[in-house]
Amino acid sequence: MVKLKKVLKKENNNKAKEREKPLIIAGPCSVENYDIFEETVAFLKECGVEYIRGGIFKPRTSPYSFQGLREEGIEILKSIKIKYNIKIVSELLDLRDIESLIEIADIIQIGSRNMYNYPLLKEVGKAGKTILLKRGISATIEEWLSAAEYIALEGNSNIILCERGIRTFETYTRNTLDLNCVPVIKQKTNLKIIVDPSHGTGKRELINSMSLAAIASGADGIMVEVHPNPDKALSDGEQSVNFEEFKSIYKNIVNLYNYIGGMII
Amino acid sequence: MVKLKKVLKKENNNKAKEREKPLIIAGPCSVENYDIFEETVAFLKECGVEYIRGGIFKPRTSPYSFQGLREEGIEILKSIKIKYNIKIVSELLDLRDIESLIEIADIIQIGSRNMYNYPLLKEVGKAGKTILLKRGISATIEEWLSAAEYIALEGNSNIILCERGIRTFETYTRNTLDLNCVPVIKQKTNLKIIVDPSHGTGKRELINSMSLAAIASGADGIMVEVHPNPDKALSDGEQSVNFEEFKSIYKNIVNLYNYIGGMII
Amino acid sequence: MVKLKKVLKKENNNKAKEREKPLIIAGPCSVENYDIFEETVAFLKECGVEYIRGGIFKPRTSPYSFQGLREEGIEILKSIKIKYNIKIVSELLDLRDIESLIEIADIIQIGSRNMYNYPLLKEVGKAGKTILLKRGISATIEEWLSAAEYIALEGNSNIILCERGIRTFETYTRNTLDLNCVPVIKQKTNLKIIVDPSHGTGKRELINSMSLAAIASGADGIMVEVHPNPDKALSDGEQSVNFEEFKSIYKNIVNLYNYIGGMII
Amino acid sequence: MVKLKKVLKKENNNKAKEREKPLIIAGPCSVENYDIFEETVAFLKECGVEYIRGGIFKPRTSPYSFQGLREEGIEILKSIKIKYNIKIVSELLDLRDIESLIEIADIIQIGSRNMYNYPLLKEVGKAGKTILLKRGISATIEEWLSAAEYIALEGNSNIILCERGIRTFETYTRNTLDLNCVPVIKQKTNLKIIVDPSHGTGKRELINSMSLAAIASGADGIMVEVHPNPDKALSDGEQSVNFEEFKSIYKNIVNLYNYIGGMII
Ligand SMILES: C=C(OP(=O)(O)O)C(=O)O
Ligand SMILES: C=C(OP(=O)(O)O)C(=O)O
Ligand SMILES: C=C(OP(=O)(O)O)C(=O)O
Ligand SMILES: C=C(OP(=O)(O)O)C(=O)O
Ligand SMILES: [Cu+2]
Ligand SMILES: [Cu+2]
Ligand SMILES: [Cu+2]
Ligand SMILES: [Cu+2]
């Protein structure tokens, strides 16, 4: 492992941190409009979810796909955040949007397409916010940790890594969720790590199983896409679960997280 | 998914099979000599393990590496099998060895290097033995199921799949354990699937975590390499656990397998 | 690079071998019946091709696909070989077929699915025939050379490597033709290397360009699938060229091979 | 292939564009100081090279590696450009640097790490400069073309694609140069494409061969890293060629480019 001063564990720092509860981030891929977002938040809040995801700047492969509500989305996030007293996780694409995102987000997400975007990393390294750093689609663990080091070097060590699947030859699933990295990260670094089974599989019928697997591998939590009507979602519907599915996944995760605690070395 | 008559599930066959106990296969990568093998078997038996692995024909990348005890290994397997009343899992490399292997193995392993070896697949398809079919190092799920179909078409449907990691760009781990395939296999096929975290990670310190993750993803069991003194092993020592480590992994797996049952869809 | 006694170059052996003419192997993916094979051979012979390919034992992903004419194909090869005085290149899948294949083949092909099939490699290492060893679909250069070493260690150093594309994340082409390996092989080893742009691209419209690229990278020749009516081929039609296309590719290759000679270091 | 209005070829536009001379871009990975850069430019100019590369904002995996001369580098580029009357190709990392880079660069390079950085793509889409768009390290051809479409949609269609190797399981070479993409791009799009064998192989001894292969595959040119003393380079020395090596590569490329013209379909 390359020398990284900020993120790697000090030698004799191996005793497990006390485990609190899992970090569960849920919500739609994109904020689509006020009503759908509110309906989703209301449901998730009732489930017990504190952190709500919702993209307003969407990095889309095609310039012709829905690019997010942008400024309009900021307003929606702002009012729903107050009304429901929730914490917001949302992705920053363009460093010129950092001020407006900081205003409403409790966790700033750096998406997998931007893991090598060093100017963006440095900028969020100066922000006084927790950063959710997703793994690049073909980033090695070392490159990922180096990206975290870029952020940490600017003074911000509130970094949560998020494994979201890597690109391999297998095409049956959208990506290959690499859970090997979870115990590696827990053993070698000071960072938290959560897992995104939505992008990590691309198929909603695999999300319950892979969420459980993530927790069993030692992850600190999960991030999952939830939509009231996945088939109608403007982005990533095929990998979003509906309310009923999420309710059961949530219960499973919380239970397993508590059960598994003592088994993790 | 391609049309496969034998291994794919019939439409209305989705109710979960009753869960018995997990299939745990443990033992050394290679049978190295009588004493080490006996010591390992005695220990594993006491733990409660019924299925012992031990390679006697070893597929090694380099022709200069240890190639297994071969005929001599057969004799060792034969006498230990009787003495300890265990079940043996061992790999078949060369179809000319099938008779001698059938005599002593309860499960015939087809290694990842032979997943596309159709003459070998057809041959074990005619044997009245359970086949453990490991996934090729870069085989898609569809190719893997097609390999199983080759076996099943010859009349043998006692097939257990074994995910053992796929080759990706990530080199920190020897392979990338692809647990996504576990719920895919359970949902689409009639086959059992276990996971090999030894080859799947290449690092012994990751085996406990990834065994738990495998079970949580819905796997029917695991196969793990165990050696009394991993650093001295003739093959794959760096991914073998010692007795103490295995004891704890075994307990964790059995507990988790029971706990998780109801959570799997 | 690992230590390999047989295939790696001796230190002071770097002067280029004299260049003769390129090795061009052409013919159908599978021998389909007497008439189509004869028509193809007659055409290729007239072009100037000396080595004709034609699979009679076909390794197919699905057991329901055409598996080759097998024994019947042997008879066809035998009589066409005599009638046209050509050299035959054909794949060996099952070591039990080695005798009958040796009788008719001048070059025995080991397909990419069998690159790790060590019993088969050893067997052809004992045969007094040139071996065409295709690269495994996800084999590293080191593993590939180790496979060649398995053959050479049995006494047979008449080995020609064949790059046929590797499996990557890119799906637009069937495989990713890795021409980097050509200068590596030429610089480090004593072996010849040719390139198969048919399997290496999976698309007939790319074959002219990639054949030229192969020669320019320093390859000793190419192997290409040719069919009188590619759209009707029983296997790999989409990557086979028709007669007219082949004629032009052949001329280009021969010209470029001569032209490029002095440019290769 | 996805629908892309700007970069894909119109149906009946398949007649080959007239071939001029190859686009050859050469120069150091990074501008290191005035003297080394001047020495390199003077040499390249004499060879006949018109386009000089030289990074001043360097995207480095580790924050502890040399990050480029930045503002100081701009001054060096500015004065050397005038003194030698050359064209400059340099990479833009941070959209806030676009004004200062536009002032001195004739071609703005978007590096492989930024291929999915859509705000940056949009910004250079508004600049009146040719854009060199490198392929992301694990970008599919479709994603790459979509990135070009992002640029073109903003009004700038002066886009040159640059294949620079993709990430695969093979680690002997730094990346796997994917030349299959060259004829695909030429056949399907209106864009020019060049190849970077320096990053595409990571090994200087492969650059001559892979440059030739690139041209033979139909590429419009190459970009190669040149340094007076590669072993002392501050970045990418192992994949940089020295002056003598470059001279010979340059001659080969120009000759082959002319020779091959008629062979490309
Ligand atoms: C785009 C997202 O994910 P990723 O960056 O992992 O693709 C997302 O979480 O909205
Ligand atoms: C060689 C083995 O594994 P694999 O075939 O998965 O490499 C083994 O289990 O002994
Ligand atoms: C099957 C063949 O190729 P490969 O082994 O490269 O897939 C063949 O050449 O017929
Ligand atoms: C960094 C460079 O290349 P790439 O973006 O292809 O890695 C470069 O050309 O300087
Ligand atoms: Cu999404
Ligand atoms: Cu092993
Ligand atoms: Cu074929
Ligand atoms: Cu460089």
Side-chain angles (χ1 to χ4, degrees):
Chain A
M1 193 74 75
V2 292
K3 276 279 157 290
L4 295 173
K5 292 178 205 153
K6 301 289 184 182
V7 302
L8 294 185
K9 249 179 194 157
K10 301 292 170 296
E11 287 303 320
N12 46 14
N13 186 16
N14 243 332
K15 64 165 168 30
K17 296 291 195 328
E18 219 152 297
R19 292 198 118 206
E20 302 144 36
K21 45 185 189 169
L23 174 59
I24 298 183
I25 303 172
C29 181
S30 314
V31 175
E32 300 179 353
N33 62 43
Y34 190 95
D35 290 348
I36 297 184
F37 191 61
E38 176 166 36
E39 182 188 352
T40 313
V41 169
F43 162 74
L44 292 172
K45 178 100 208 234
E46 213 190 280
C47 282
V49 176
E50 283 170 74
Y51 286 85
I52 305 294
R53 66 158 284 150
I56 53 180
F57 302 108
K58 294 302 300 175
R60 303 304 297 279
T61 300
S62 167
Y64 304 112
S65 303
F66 173 59
Q67 307 271 318
L69 292 184
R70 313 183 68 85
E71 284 66 33
E72 195 193 328
I74 302 237
E75 295 313 312
I76 297 177
L77 284 184
K78 204 179 288 184
S79 74
I80 299 277
K81 179 182 160 82
I82 294 169
K83 182 159 174 194
Y84 288 87
N85 187 29
I86 48 166
K87 299 221 168 74
I88 295 285
V89 182
S90 199
E91 179 171 355
L92 178 68
L93 277 193
D94 184 331
L95 46 77
R96 291 168 300 191
D97 295 319
I98 192 167
E99 295 305 331
S100 33
L101 206 60
I102 279 180
E103 236 190 289
I104 47 143
D106 299 276
I107 297 181
I108 293 179
Q109 178 172 328
I110 299 295
S112 75
R113 287 171 183 81
N114 282 310
M115 197 208 79
Y116 302 109
N117 185 343
Y118 304 124
L120 190 67
L121 298 179
K122 285 181 188 167
E123 213 59 31
V124 298
K126 290 174 203 142
K129 290 280 173 180
T130 298
I131 306 304
L132 186 70
L133 179 63
K134 295 189 104 176
R135 183 177 184 180
I137 197 168
S138 69
T140 63
I141 296 176
E142 290 204 18
E143 290 171 343
W144 192 15
L145 292 180
S146 294
E149 187 87 358
Y150 264 101
I151 297 172
L153 261 184
E154 299 294 324
N156 186 351
S157 334
N158 295 316
I159 302 167
I160 301 166
L161 300 179
C162 180
E163 158 65 26
R164 47 77 75 210
I166 57 175
R167 185 164 271 182
T168 70
F169 63 83
E170 176 61 77
T171 54
Y172 187 80
T173 45
R174 182 179 180 187
N175 291 295
T176 296
L177 196 66
D178 174 14
L179 294 181
N180 278 349
C181 75
V182 175
V184 172
I185 297 295
K186 298 303 290 181
Q187 289 170 20
K188 298 279 176 197
T189 80
N190 300 309
L191 305 173
K192 290 206 164 192
I193 177 167
I194 66 171
V195 171
D196 169 354
S198 299
H199 291 85
T201 65
K203 285 185 142 74
R204 72 177 75 124
E205 66 270 24
L206 305 179
I207 291 180
N208 180 62
S209 299
M210 298 316 288
S211 297
L212 292 171
I215 296 301
S217 73
D220 297 299
I222 61 165
M223 171 150 99
V224 60
E225 292 183 337
V226 180
H227 193 281
N229 189 347
D231 291 333
K232 292 272 174 57
L234 294 183
S235 58
D236 288 348
E238 64 293 344
Q239 69 191 33
S240 299
V241 292
N242 65 26
F243 289 177
E244 192 191 359
E245 290 160 341
F246 179 73
K247 205 165 194 163
S248 144
I249 293 170
Y250 182 80
K251 214 185 67 197
N252 288 342
I253 290 307
V254 173
N255 288 339
L256 180 62
Y257 186 85
N258 292 327
Y259 181 77
I260 209 92
M263 296 187 184
I264 293 166
I265 309 167
Chain B
M1 194 74 77
V2 292
K3 276 281 160 283
L4 294 172
K5 292 178 207 155
K6 300 288 183 182
V7 303
L8 295 186
K9 251 182 193 153
K10 301 290 173 294
E11 286 303 320
N12 47 13
N13 186 15
N14 242 331
K15 66 169 163 28
K17 297 289 193 330
E18 218 151 297
R19 291 197 116 206
E20 300 143 40
K21 46 187 186 168
L23 174 60
I24 298 183
I25 303 174
C29 180
S30 313
V31 176
E32 299 180 355
N33 63 42
Y34 190 95
D35 291 347
I36 296 184
F37 190 63
E38 175 166 34
E39 182 189 352
T40 311
V41 169
F43 162 73
L44 292 172
K45 178 100 209 229
E46 214 190 279
C47 282
V49 175
E50 284 170 74
Y51 286 86
I52 306 291
R53 65 159 283 149
I56 54 181
F57 303 108
K58 294 302 301 175
R60 303 304 297 278
T61 300
S62 168
Y64 304 111
S65 303
F66 174 61
Q67 307 272 318
L69 292 183
R70 311 184 67 86
E71 285 67 34
E72 195 192 327
I74 302 239
E75 295 312 313
I76 297 176
L77 283 184
K78 204 178 288 185
S79 75
I80 299 277
K81 181 181 159 85
I82 295 168
K83 183 157 172 198
Y84 288 87
N85 187 28
I86 48 167
K87 300 223 167 74
I88 294 285
V89 182
S90 200
E91 179 172 355
L92 177 68
L93 278 192
D94 185 331
L95 47 75
R96 293 168 299 190
D97 294 319
I98 192 166
E99 294 306 332
S100 35
L101 205 61
I102 280 179
E103 236 189 289
I104 46 143
D106 300 276
I107 297 181
I108 294 180
Q109 179 173 326
I110 299 297
S112 73
R113 286 170 183 80
N114 283 310
M115 197 208 79
Y116 301 110
N117 185 341
Y118 305 124
L120 191 67
L121 297 180
K122 285 181 189 166
E123 212 60 30
V124 299
K126 290 174 204 142
K129 289 280 174 182
T130 298
I131 307 305
L132 185 69
L133 178 64
K134 294 189 103 176
R135 183 177 182 179
I137 198 168
S138 67
T140 62
I141 296 176
E142 290 204 18
E143 289 171 344
W144 192 14
L145 292 180
S146 295
E149 186 88 358
Y150 265 101
I151 298 173
L153 261 185
E154 298 295 324
N156 187 351
S157 335
N158 295 317
I159 302 167
I160 301 167
L161 299 180
C162 179
E163 158 65 27
R164 47 75 74 209
I166 57 174
R167 186 163 271 181
T168 69
F169 63 82
E170 177 59 78
T171 54
Y172 186 82
T173 47
R174 184 179 181 187
N175 290 295
T176 296
L177 195 68
D178 175 15
L179 295 180
N180 278 349
C181 76
V182 175
V184 172
I185 298 295
K186 298 302 290 180
Q187 289 170 19
K188 298 278 177 199
T189 80
N190 300 310
L191 306 172
K192 289 205 166 196
I193 177 166
I194 67 172
V195 171
D196 170 355
S198 299
H199 291 85
T201 67
K203 287 188 142 73
R204 72 176 77 121
E205 68 268 25
L206 304 180
I207 292 179
N208 180 65
S209 299
M210 299 315 290
S211 297
L212 292 171
I215 295 301
S217 74
D220 297 299
I222 62 165
M223 170 150 100
V224 58
E225 292 183 335
V226 181
H227 193 282
N229 188 347
D231 291 332
K232 292 273 173 56
L234 294 183
S235 58
D236 287 350
E238 63 295 343
Q239 69 190 33
S240 299
V241 292
N242 65 26
F243 289 178
E244 192 190 359
E245 289 160 342
F246 179 74
K247 204 166 196 162
S248 145
I249 293 169
Y250 182 80
K251 214 185 67 195
N252 288 342
I253 290 307
V254 173
N255 288 338
L256 181 60
Y257 186 84
N258 292 328
Y259 180 75
I260 209 91
M263 296 187 185
I264 293 165
I265 310 168
Chain C
M1 194 74 75
V2 293
K3 276 278 159 285
L4 294 172
K5 291 176 207 156
K6 301 288 184 182
V7 301
L8 295 185
K9 251 181 191 153
K10 301 291 171 297
E11 286 303 321
N12 46 13
N13 186 15
N14 243 331
K15 64 167 164 37
K17 298 287 195 328
E18 220 152 297
R19 292 200 117 203
E20 302 142 36
K21 46 185 188 171
L23 174 60
I24 299 183
I25 304 173
C29 178
S30 314
V31 176
E32 299 180 356
N33 61 44
Y34 189 96
D35 290 348
I36 296 184
F37 191 62
E38 175 166 35
E39 181 189 354
T40 312
V41 169
F43 162 75
L44 292 171
K45 178 101 208 235
E46 213 190 278
C47 282
V49 175
E50 285 170 72
Y51 286 87
I52 306 291
R53 63 158 286 149
I56 54 180
F57 302 109
K58 294 301 301 175
R60 303 304 298 279
T61 300
S62 167
Y64 304 112
S65 302
F66 173 60
Q67 307 272 317
L69 291 184
R70 314 183 68 85
E71 286 66 32
E72 194 192 330
I74 303 239
E75 296 313 315
I76 297 176
L77 285 184
K78 204 178 287 183
S79 74
I80 299 277
K81 180 181 159 86
I82 294 168
K83 183 159 174 196
Y84 289 86
N85 187 27
I86 48 166
K87 301 223 167 72
I88 294 283
V89 182
S90 199
E91 179 171 356
L92 177 68
L93 277 193
D94 185 331
L95 46 75
R96 294 168 299 191
D97 294 319
I98 192 166
E99 295 306 333
S100 34
L101 206 59
I102 279 179
E103 236 189 289
I104 47 144
D106 300 276
I107 298 181
I108 294 180
Q109 177 173 328
I110 299 294
S112 73
R113 287 171 182 81
N114 281 311
M115 198 208 78
Y116 301 109
N117 185 343
Y118 304 123
L120 190 68
L121 298 179
K122 285 181 188 165
E123 214 59 30
V124 298
K126 291 175 203 138
K129 289 281 173 180
T130 298
I131 306 304
L132 185 70
L133 178 63
K134 295 189 104 176
R135 181 177 185 180
I137 198 168
S138 67
T140 63
I141 296 176
E142 290 205 19
E143 290 171 344
W144 192 14
L145 293 179
S146 295
E149 185 88 359
Y150 264 101
I151 296 172
L153 260 184
E154 299 294 324
N156 186 351
S157 335
N158 296 317
I159 302 167
I160 301 167
L161 300 180
C162 179
E163 159 64 25
R164 45 77 75 211
I166 57 174
R167 184 164 272 183
T168 70
F169 63 82
E170 177 60 76
T171 54
Y172 186 80
T173 46
R174 184 180 179 186
N175 290 296
T176 297
L177 196 67
D178 174 15
L179 294 180
N180 278 348
C181 75
V182 175
V184 173
I185 297 295
K186 297 304 288 179
Q187 290 171 18
K188 300 278 176 197
T189 81
N190 300 308
L191 305 173
K192 288 206 167 196
I193 177 165
I194 66 170
V195 171
D196 169 355
S198 300
H199 291 86
T201 66
K203 286 186 141 73
R204 72 176 76 122
E205 68 269 24
L206 305 180
I207 291 180
N208 180 64
S209 299
M210 298 317 289
S211 298
L212 292 170
I215 295 302
S217 73
D220 297 299
I222 62 163
M223 170 150 101
V224 59
E225 293 184 336
V226 180
H227 194 281
N229 189 347
D231 291 332
K232 291 271 171 59
L234 294 183
S235 57
D236 288 348
E238 65 293 344
Q239 69 190 33
S240 299
V241 292
N242 65 26
F243 290 177
E244 192 192 357
E245 290 160 341
F246 180 74
K247 204 166 198 164
S248 146
I249 292 169
Y250 182 79
K251 215 186 65 197
N252 288 342
I253 290 306
V254 173
N255 288 339
L256 181 61
Y257 186 83
N258 293 327
Y259 180 77
I260 209 91
M263 296 187 186
I264 292 166
I265 309 169
Chain D
M1 194 75 75
V2 291
K3 275 279 161 285
L4 294 172
K5 292 176 206 154
K6 301 289 183 181
V7 302
L8 295 185
K9 249 180 195 156
K10 302 292 169 295
E11 286 304 319
N12 47 12
N13 185 17
N14 243 333
K15 63 165 166 34
K17 296 290 192 328
E18 219 152 297
R19 291 198 115 205
E20 303 144 36
K21 45 185 188 170
L23 174 59
I24 299 184
I25 303 173
C29 181
S30 314
V31 175
E32 300 180 354
N33 62 43
Y34 189 95
D35 290 349
I36 298 184
F37 191 62
E38 176 166 32
E39 183 189 352
T40 311
V41 169
F43 163 74
L44 292 171
K45 178 98 209 236
E46 214 191 279
C47 281
V49 175
E50 284 170 73
Y51 286 85
I52 306 292
R53 64 158 285 149
I56 53 179
F57 302 108
K58 295 301 302 175
R60 303 303 298 279
T61 300
S62 167
Y64 304 112
S65 303
F66 174 59
Q67 307 272 317
L69 291 184
R70 314 184 67 86
E71 283 67 33
E72 196 192 327
I74 302 239
E75 295 312 314
I76 297 176
L77 285 184
K78 205 177 288 184
S79 74
I80 300 277
K81 180 181 160 83
I82 295 169
K83 184 160 174 192
Y84 288 87
N85 187 27
I86 48 165
K87 298 224 168 77
I88 294 285
V89 182
S90 198
E91 179 172 355
L92 177 68
L93 277 193
D94 185 330
L95 46 78
R96 292 168 300 190
D97 295 318
I98 193 166
E99 294 305 332
S100 34
L101 206 61
I102 280 180
E103 237 188 290
I104 47 144
D106 299 277
I107 297 182
I108 294 180
Q109 177 172 327
I110 299 295
S112 76
R113 287 170 182 82
N114 282 310
M115 198 207 80
Y116 302 110
N117 185 343
Y118 305 123
L120 190 67
L121 298 179
K122 285 181 188 167
E123 212 60 28
V124 298
K126 290 174 203 140
K129 291 280 174 181
T130 298
I131 306 305
L132 186 69
L133 178 63
K134 295 190 104 177
R135 182 178 183 180
I137 198 168
S138 67
T140 63
I141 297 175
E142 290 205 18
E143 290 171 344
W144 192 15
L145 293 180
S146 295
E149 186 88 358
Y150 265 102
I151 298 172
L153 259 185
E154 299 293 324
N156 186 351
S157 335
N158 296 316
I159 301 167
I160 301 166
L161 299 180
C162 179
E163 159 62 27
R164 45 79 70 207
I166 57 174
R167 185 163 271 180
T168 70
F169 62 83
E170 177 60 78
T171 55
Y172 185 81
T173 46
R174 182 179 181 187
N175 291 295
T176 297
L177 196 66
D178 174 16
L179 295 180
N180 277 349
C181 75
V182 175
V184 173
I185 297 294
K186 298 302 289 181
Q187 289 170 20
K188 299 279 177 198
T189 79
N190 300 309
L191 306 173
K192 290 206 164 195
I193 176 165
I194 67 170
V195 171
D196 169 356
S198 300
H199 292 85
T201 66
K203 286 186 144 74
R204 72 177 76 122
E205 68 270 23
L206 305 179
I207 291 179
N208 180 63
S209 299
M210 298 316 290
S211 297
L212 292 170
I215 295 301
S217 73
D220 297 297
I222 61 164
M223 170 151 98
V224 58
E225 292 183 336
V226 180
H227 193 280
N229 189 346
D231 292 331
K232 292 272 172 59
L234 295 183
S235 58
D236 288 348
E238 63 294 342
Q239 70 191 32
S240 298
V241 293
N242 64 26
F243 289 177
E244 193 192 357
E245 291 160 341
F246 180 73
K247 206 166 194 160
S248 146
I249 293 169
Y250 182 80
K251 214 186 66 197
N252 288 342
I253 289 306
V254 172
N255 288 337
L256 181 60
Y257 187 84
N258 292 326
Y259 181 76
I260 208 93
M263 296 187 185
I264 292 166
I265 309 168

